[in-house]
Amino acid sequence: MKTDPHPFSPFQERLTKESRFVFSCGPHVPCFTECCGKLELLLTPYDVLRLRTGLEMSSEAFLDTHSVIRWRTSHRFPEFLMKMDPESKRCPFVTPQGCSVYAHRPGACRIYPLGRASTINPLDGLKREFYFTVRENHCRGFEETQQWNIGGWISDQGMDEFNRMNDLLMEFYVARNHAQVAEITEQHIQMFVMACYNLEKFRNFVFKSGFLTKFVVEDELVNRLTQDDTAMLEFAFRWLRFALLREPTLEMKAR
């Protein structure tokens, strides 16, 4: 699964975290912010969590204001894309000085000019990942002199947590493809959207619907779920795999 808007070509070199490249970006580069428009920017659940937190918006308000839905997807679940400015076709958060939500920018923006592909080997169940460079005609950053290795760039851009959380989504899609379950229903889609993209609503579901009387959830985790959105999103994927894929990711209490 790729969580950036740039497709991988089989002719591109697959890079590891030890691979090196030359790149720099900022106001000193002539093409500064040109990459912030005319693109389909996929918003993962963790992207939405970070953006709406930084903007101090509810999940519902953020999605209504700043996203569009793509319904036709290979995995059959909807995806959310950033809603670009209708006139300029640019991200609504880009300014002449740069990104106005830089500390909470999406993972695809952080990792640029790299792309990442991650998958699970069906034979041993182990995760595989590789990286590749995204070289667009407008980008002049590769003409700079600053050298990086892939691992250093990932850490510098704060991508480690994004990769970890985005992999939960990838693993859910992979598990869905291998699960022997019935066709996805409208109810399944509603459950998926609530759990992944509306954590306030999912938190109410966990704490106000009798959920905790049915499932075994450790007291320490219950306390974290009351206020830690990242923990709640991790828990949401556990619940989805139990409820939609019939995996034993949660334990029901004895009656």
Side-chain angles (χ1 to χ4, degrees):
M1 173 191 170
K2 295 182 290 294
T3 53
D4 64 86
H6 305 284
F8 172 74
S9 166
F11 300 104
Q12 288 176 274
E13 181 183 4
R14 297 190 177 199
L15 306 175
T16 69
K17 286 190 174 181
E18 289 70 43
S19 302
R20 303 190 66 83
F21 68 106
V22 175
F23 183 80
S24 182
C25 185
H28 63 286
V29 181
C31 61
F32 185 53
T33 77
E34 284 192 33
C35 57
C36 301
K38 298 180 180 179
L39 77 160
E40 289 189 339
L41 179 56
L42 174 67
L43 297 174
T44 67
Y46 190 63
D47 288 333
V48 172
L49 185 163
R50 291 289 300 268
L51 283 166
R52 63 94 170 163
T53 299
L55 293 166
E56 298 183 346
M57 300 175 69
S58 69
S59 299
E60 188 170 353
F62 175 83
L63 292 173
D64 286 346
T65 305
H66 295 299
S67 78
V68 294
I69 299 179
R70 178 162 58 195
W71 290 101
R72 294 188 176 183
T73 64
S74 60
H75 45 71
R76 307 296 297 279
F77 290 100
E79 294 177 340
F80 290 84
L81 308 174
M82 183 75 80
K83 183 187 295 183
M84 298 295 167
D85 182 271
E87 295 184 2
S88 68
K89 309 300 181 183
R90 288 167 62 77
C91 176
F93 301 115
V94 67
T95 72
Q97 292 74 41
C99 178
S100 63
V101 292
Y102 188 78
H104 299 279
R105 67 198 185 282
C109 304
R110 290 170 182 268
I111 199 172
Y112 188 86
L114 301 177
R116 174 180 181 258
S118 178
T119 188
I120 296 177
N121 189 311
L123 298 178
D124 58 20
L126 297 178
K127 183 174 65 179
R128 304 283 194 273
E129 71 172 6
F130 65 86
Y131 296 84
F132 53 95
T133 55
V134 177
R135 293 180 179 268
E136 299 181 298
N137 292 333
H138 63 74
C139 183
R140 306 286 296 277
F142 291 102
E143 300 172 8
E144 299 293 306
T145 59
Q146 187 169 3
Q147 294 192 16
W148 299 89
N149 63 34
I150 301 290
W153 179 260
I154 295 301
S155 296
D156 184 76
Q157 299 302 306
M159 273 299 299
D160 292 308
E161 184 73 349
F162 280 79
N163 286 344
R164 185 180 74 84
M165 295 301 296
N166 290 341
D167 281 349
L168 296 178
L169 179 64
M170 178 272 294
E171 291 163 6
F172 172 77
Y173 289 152
V174 171
R176 167 67 183 88
N177 290 338
H178 291 89
Q180 299 297 318
V181 297
E183 186 66 23
I184 297 171
T185 66
E186 179 64 29
Q187 183 182 20
H188 292 159
I189 291 175
Q190 291 175 1
M191 293 163 65
F192 173 83
V193 172
M194 174 186 69
C196 291
Y197 293 99
N198 193 332
L199 289 182
E200 297 96 328
K201 189 173 182 179
F202 182 64
R203 181 173 279 116
N204 285 336
F205 169 69
V206 170
F207 285 101
K208 297 182 179 180
S209 71
F211 183 100
L212 295 177
T213 66
K214 299 177 182 178
F215 294 97
V216 176
V217 184
E218 302 83 359
D219 290 342
E220 185 275 334
L221 178 56
V222 170
N223 291 333
R224 288 177 58 204
L225 295 179
T226 61
Q227 55 189 351
D228 186 333
D229 282 344
T230 300
M232 181 58 77
L233 182 57
E234 292 178 280
F235 188 73
F237 282 111
R238 285 179 58 186
W239 175 72
L240 284 174
R241 294 182 72 150
F242 176 89
L244 272 60
L245 308 185
R246 303 174 185 172
E247 294 185 2
T249 51
L250 289 175
E251 177 186 353
M252 297 196 72
K253 292 183 176 180
R255 294 186 177 181

